[in-house]
Structures are given as C-alpha cells and as structure tokens.
Amino acid sequence: MKFDSPLRSSTTADLPVLPAARIAGRDVHACDAAGRSAICNAATGATIAWQDTASAAQIDEAVRAARASFEAWRATAAALRSAILHKVAECVEAQRARLVDVQMHVSGKPRAEAETDVSDVAATFTYYADLCNEAAAFSTEAVVVPDASVAAERFYDPVGVAALIVPWNFPMVTSAWKIAPALAAGCTVVLKPSELTSPAEHALVDLLAQAGVPNGVVNVVNGGAEVGARLTTHPLVDKISFTGSTAAGRHVMRAAADDMKRLTLELGGKSALIVREDADFDLAVSLAVGGAFTNAGQMCSATSRILVHDRLYRKFMAAFETAVRALVVASPQTSNATMGPLISRAHRMRVQALVERGLETGARVAFHGQIAARADDGFFMAPVVVAEPAVDNPLWTDEVFGPVACVKSFRSDADAIALANDTRYGLVATVVTQCEEMARRYRQQLRAGLVWHNTPQFIFAQVSWGGFGLSGIGRELGLAGLRSYQELRHTITLAGC
Ligand code: NAD
C-alpha cells in the first residue's frame, strides 16, 4: 500500500500500513503485525500510519534484487542514466505539492522548510544527471608514465551494491544525496529510511519508478536500527553510506570491517558560529537564529555554539532574545509558523534531559522562546538559549539535536578560533565579519568540512558535504560524492599490444 493520504488521522484501524520492503518494484508486507511501528504526525502526536518491519529474509531478498540488477544498470549508458535522473528531478518538481505535504504532515516542518527540502532533492538529481554527461566522471583516461614502452589507463567502476541508511531530520534530502550519486555511478541500492519518517522516502521512491529507474535498481527495507544493522553485515553489500549519530556510526564502521565494505559516514556535529566585533550586526543575529533553530535545531550542521566578541556580547544577547522570542513555534498548519516540533516524544525527552543535565552541571538559561500554540499534543519544545557555559559543560560539548543554543564571549580572534576548534566534531562553521582578510584567516583555520562566511547555511549539490573527526568519514555531494560510489582501477599495458 502506498502512503498517499498524509492528512488522514482517523481511527488507527483504517490507517495506511507501509510495506516492510520494496523489492524489485514490489511492495512486500510483513506476515504479521509484530514489530509494526507507528508513524506519527510530530505536530499533533497522532498516529497517521503504520510501518511494517522488514524480516531478515526480506532484507536478504532486497540485497539480492540489487545484486541481480547491478550488471544491467552498470552497463546502461551514462547518457541514459542521465536522462532518467533528469526525469526524476522533473517528477519531483511535478509532485512538489505532495512531497511538501508529506514532510509537513510527518515531521511537522513549516512549509518554507519543507519547500526548501524538495528544492534540494530536485537540485541533487539534476546535478548528478548533468555529471553523468561529463566524460571525466566515468571515461577511461590515459595516465602519463615515464616509460614509453607501456600505456597506463585509469578507470572508474561502480562499487556495486550500496546500502544507504538515513536518519529522520531531512529524510528525503539525505536519501537524494545518496541515491542520485549512487545511480549516476552505476550502483544499485538498498535504502533503509528512518522508521519515523519513511513516508517521505516512499513518496520519493514512487517517483524514481515513475521516472524509469528499472525495478531492482532501488530497493527499500523498512524498520529501525536492527534492520540497518542486518543490512550492514550482508555479504553482498559492497558499500555502506550511513548518515546518523556518531554512536551508531561506530557500530556501522565495525560492521563494515569484516568484508572491508566501502564506507561513507555522515555523523553528528557541534558547530560554531563566530560573530566578530566588525560583523554586520543584524546579519549576525539572523544567521545565529537560522543556524541554531532551523528544523527545530535538529540539524547535524546546527551552529549551536555561538561565539560573540565581548564588546558586542550584551547588545547581541538583547537582539538575539528579541529574535528568538519572535519565533513562531507552531504546527505547519499555522501559516506564520517558523519553527516546528521535534520528531518524537522520545526525542523531546532526550533533549530535555540533556538540558537538565547541563543545568545541573552549572549552565544558566539566559532566556527561552515560547510555543505559540499548543492546540494538541505535538512534540513542540520552546527554544532555549544558555549563556556562558563552562567549556566542559555537556551543553557546550555534546550534540543536543534540538532547539538549544549556547552563547559565549571571546576577546581575540585566536581565542575564537581555539574555542571553535575545541571539539572532537568538525562538520561546519560560520564566521560573520566584514573584514576580508580575517575571514580568509578563519576559513583557513577552522577545522570543519564547510565554512560559511556571512551567508546562511547554503547547500549546493556541487559543494561536497562531510566533516572532520567525529563528524564522519568521506564526503557526499559534488564530484567527491560520485567518487564515493566508484572504485578506482588502473591498467598498464605493453605499448603496441
Ligand atoms: P541514528 O544514528 O539513531 O539513526 C540513523 C539511521 O541509522 C536510522 O535509519 C537508524 O534506524 C539507523 N541505525 C541506527 N543504529 C544502527 C546500526 N547499529 N546499524 C545500522 N543502522 C543503524 O540517528 P538519528 O537519531 O536518526 O539522526 C540524528 C543523528 O544524525 C544526529 O547525530 C545527526 O547529527 C546525524 N546527522 C548527520 C548528518 C550529516 O550529514 N553529517 C545529517 C543528518 C543527521
């Protein structure tokens, strides 16, 4: 059954049941309801669908379907793969309203955020469709070697069957970042969405089929961590691309070790936003709000450690408070909503527990925002801003993954850079300054996979994404994203043969 009625919220008995798996184009359900999980509307708390869990046999079948489709898909001309990926982007645009709706009704994202996600999905498929037509991405290249008696060549081969495991915060986007380059490279895939947001992926996978992706090239298995874990140990999986927490990433890395599966890990973050004394003040406040509270702070790239020059600190805190209090934390049905709920009751409890632990160990709440409308039992949480936490306070050191920001003052650029880099993560950073020379210094010295200067968190499919340290291994998007689904191969041949 397809999840095509996201607005339904009647009695649980007649709710849609999402399949346990999609294997070679067929939806496969579980034999019984054991292990079936509820999918909630995060803005109301209501159950809106059920999700069957894939069995071990179904996971195996899905991987085998991907394996069986691999040779034909890798042999498909890059130009045809390009045409299909372009068609996916067209289908995404044509179905924009439905895709936006699904995200609003599952994750509770405000309309503007749900729209941005859909634009990102379309842009990702378009970019990799175009890359398919760039000869250098695939074609055989001569390699110059200092021996005229031989000819050396370089090839890029698809890595094989890729297991794609994604979280719930940007479900459709994260899936597109993996599916598009994998298909462009000639890989076949088994996707494991988060059990909390799988309707988003079901909607996307429907469009892949419509666009002409052959059956078996993209397969889906549904369920939680145990389904992901089983997928990562399947011997026919050649590559794992995992996005999620650093804790789960460690398990995935261990699981990949036995077969030396290729690995991309996109993990957590604890990123900094630095406001220099010469910053455009209004811009700094708006970037601080966006960096910490977009998607209710449930962003790996949340810049939840805000560093402000001490001569600007008091003025900044006053303006930041006004801006945070102005956030409209409400259901996406509220037309002026600017911040949605957290994804689940359990996640909200986790975030609240982290805040309590931070306060118990000395942190101080400077102010918080408010929930505009609590019409129902959605998983809303008011934004929280903590002032001057100690550098070992968990709110300063640990990923919270919710609407909690810490602000700390600094006196010199050297202090700011040291504080920003004082983390085992290294995903992103933002610097707000009007001094070009200092901006260059920050861009060079901040240890993060992507540094923004005076911009919101712009993401382009052309610009690779990924982090240092505990934020992961490898890069998605850009040419690096394609290469992560390719094996590099060389040949050396006696000249004239
Ligand atoms: P999570 O690690 O709990 O789960 C992520 C996905 O992995 C889910 O599909 C889950 O079912 C699966 N999973 C969990 N344990 C597994 C295991 N042992 N083996 C295989 N699969 C397993 O994370 P989450 O709560 O869904 O998402 C939040 C986390 O994701 C945050 O830490 C966030 O920073 C991170 N994230 C990172 C990026 C990035 O690009 N770096 C992007 C989005 C989210």
Side-chain angles (χ1 to χ4, degrees):
M1 182 186 295
K2 288 180 185 150
F3 186 88
D4 54 6
S5 51
L7 283 165
R8 288 174 67 174
S9 60
S10 55
T11 60
T12 52
D14 63 351
L15 292 177
V17 179
L18 294 170
R22 180 168 295 181
I23 302 171
R26 279 177 310 115
D27 281 350
V28 186
H29 281 269
C31 303
D32 56 47
R36 184 174 282 179
S37 62
I39 290 170
C40 290
N41 177 335
T44 65
T47 300
I48 51 171
W50 294 97
Q51 172 65 77
D52 272 353
T53 300
S55 65
Q58 288 164 338
I59 296 166
D60 180 55
E61 212 190 318
V63 176
R64 287 180 190 282
R67 169 60 55 191
S69 309
F70 175 59
E71 291 306 330
W73 182 246
R74 75 176 291 184
T76 303
L80 181 52
R81 294 206 297 269
S82 168
I84 292 173
L85 294 179
H86 270 304
K87 186 76 188 159
V88 174
E90 282 167 27
C91 291
V92 167
E93 284 299 354
Q95 290 291 316
R96 171 175 281 276
R98 176 168 172 250
L99 299 178
V100 166
D101 255 17
V102 170
Q103 299 201 93
M104 286 165 63
H105 290 285
V106 177
S107 305
K109 287 175 191 258
R111 178 171 293 281
E113 290 184 6
E115 291 273 3
T116 303
D117 284 7
V118 174
S119 301
D120 192 330
V121 172
T124 303
F125 279 99
T126 300
Y127 169 70
Y128 283 106
D130 288 343
L131 207 55
C132 279
N133 288 327
E134 277 184 29
F138 303 96
S139 65
T140 307
E141 293 170 316
V143 179
V144 179
V145 291
D147 184 341
S149 70
V150 296
E153 284 182 320
R154 176 166 50 221
F155 301 81
Y156 292 100
D157 295 341
V159 75
V161 173
L164 313 179
I165 301 176
V166 297
W168 44 260
N169 60 334
F170 295 100
M172 220 179 268
V173 173
T174 318
S175 297
W177 287 15
K178 297 182 189 308
I179 295 171
L183 298 195
C187 292
T188 54
V189 310
V190 180
L191 173 72
K192 209 296 280 171
S194 164
E195 69 278 25
L196 299 177
T197 47
S198 49
E201 270 81 11
H202 280 267
L204 179 61
V205 170
D206 284 348
L207 298 184
L208 297 177
Q210 257 180 46
V213 175
N215 288 341
V217 170
V218 175
N219 306 277
V220 184
V221 292
N222 287 308
E226 68 299 337
V227 172
R230 196 173 282 278
L231 190 57
T232 58
T233 53
H234 196 293
L236 294 181
V237 167
D238 302 290
K239 149 109 197 171
I240 304 166
S241 179
F242 173 87
T243 300
S245 60
T246 297
R250 290 192 179 98
H251 288 289
V252 171
M253 197 165 176
R254 287 188 196 104
D258 277 349
D259 295 328
M260 294 292 164
K261 296 184 196 311
R262 276 53 185 138
L263 200 57
T264 302
L265 297 174
E266 296 291 350
L267 308 176
K270 190 71 190 177
S271 300
L273 177 140
I274 298 150
V275 182
R276 289 191 81 241
E277 193 182 358
D278 68 353
D280 173 328
F281 185 77
D282 293 341
L283 176 68
V285 173
S286 112
L287 296 183
V289 173
F293 300 117
T294 299
N295 212 37
Q298 302 167 116
M299 296 192 292
C300 50
S301 59
T303 42
S304 57
R305 293 187 301 139
I306 300 168
L307 292 158
V308 182
H309 193 280
D310 70 349
R311 280 198 282 272
L312 213 57
Y313 183 82
R314 287 166 73 101
K315 183 178 168 197
F316 177 87
M317 284 304 261
F320 193 36
E321 178 166 358
T322 304
V324 171
R325 286 187 187 280
L327 287 171
V328 181
V329 181
S331 146
Q333 309 312 325
T334 309
S335 60
N336 62 341
T338 49
M339 190 180 117
L342 301 195
I343 195 63
S344 66
R345 185 169 284 113
H347 184 59
R348 183 175 59 183
M349 282 169 65
R350 187 186 154 272
V351 171
Q352 285 168 340
L354 272 167
V355 172
E356 271 159 36
R357 190 156 67 88
L359 299 185
E360 277 161 20
T361 45
R364 180 179 63 80
V365 171
F367 55 86
H368 49 78
Q370 55 225 331
I371 298 170
R374 197 198 286 271
D376 26 46
D377 195 21
F379 311 130
F380 294 100
M381 179 175 164
V384 177
V385 175
V386 167
E388 299 285 10
V391 290
D392 60 352
N393 188 281
L395 292 175
W396 185 255
T397 56
D398 297 359
E399 183 180 48
V400 174
F401 221 60
V404 182
C406 296
V407 189
K408 216 169 168 49
S409 57
F410 67 87
R411 291 219 165 123
S412 69
D413 292 304
D415 282 353
I417 290 169
L419 277 166
N421 286 342
D422 184 22
T423 171
R424 296 185 69 200
Y425 295 103
L427 191 57
V428 301
T430 300
V431 59
V432 197
T433 175
Q434 302 196 65
C435 172
E436 269 309 318
E437 198 184 323
M438 287 314 299
R440 196 171 318 113
R441 181 171 154 198
Y442 274 89
R443 286 198 300 261
Q444 282 166 356
Q445 296 190 13
L446 289 170
R447 293 189 72 258
L450 178 54
V451 179
W452 290 287
H453 167 212
N454 287 352
T455 77
Q457 295 200 354
F458 286 142
I459 292 175
F460 299 102
Q462 291 77 1
V463 177
S464 291
W465 181 264
F468 292 26
L470 295 187
S471 291
I473 293 178
R475 294 292 181 269
E476 294 196 295
L477 298 181
L479 182 60
L482 178 80
R483 295 284 184 241
S484 77
Y485 292 94
Q486 293 175 318
E487 288 281 10
L488 179 60
R489 188 162 59 88
H490 284 90
T491 60
I492 297 178
T493 311
L494 197 58
C497 286

